[in-house]
Amino acid sequence: MTHEEIKNKVIEFLTRSLRNKELGEDDNIIDLGLVHSLFMVQLIMFIEKNFHVEIDDDDLDMEQIQTVRQIVSLIERNQQTGVSL
């Protein structure tokens, strides 16, 4: 899956889950008050299921998954390391 395909899939999930609010690649979803801890669990489950990766505990730092750019980077890093489900 290409960088753009990953980004588009993440944006689609976030906008659908956040009542179609438009998000830029660097908008901080936490600072905007759009998410809560339960949603972050749903986001991790979405990532693991749709991109066939397992997210390490080290990557679960909320500061590392606040923007679309960070989420895409997390997915790509995990795909490259071969940590898959």
Side-chain angles (χ1 to χ4, degrees):
M1 191 173 280
T2 69
H3 176 83
E4 283 300 311
E5 290 170 329
I6 293 170
K7 182 175 80 171
N8 290 338
K9 201 166 192 174
V10 168
I11 289 172
E12 178 185 331
F13 171 78
L14 290 173
T15 55
R16 184 178 61 242
S17 298
L18 303 173
R19 296 185 184 100
N20 295 319
K21 171 149 179 62
E22 289 189 36
L23 292 173
E25 200 169 342
D26 293 310
D27 288 343
N28 186 315
I29 60 176
I30 295 171
D31 286 349
L32 293 172
L34 300 174
V35 300
H36 48 77
S37 58
L38 178 59
F39 179 78
M40 294 308 279
V41 171
Q42 292 171 327
L43 175 60
I44 296 301
M45 290 173 52
F46 162 79
I47 291 169
E48 290 184 339
K49 179 181 176 188
N50 287 277
F51 300 102
H52 309 288
V53 296
E54 185 176 337
I55 306 300
D56 291 333
D57 290 342
D58 295 338
D59 290 326
L60 292 178
D61 182 356
M62 298 281 262
E63 291 184 14
Q64 294 186 39
I65 52 175
Q66 295 178 358
T67 68
V68 171
R69 185 182 310 275
Q70 289 175 322
I71 295 167
V72 170
S73 177
L74 171 70
I75 293 166
E76 290 175 336
R77 268 195 323 274
N78 279 282
Q79 287 179 331
Q80 290 173 358
T81 60
V83 178
S84 60
L85 296 176

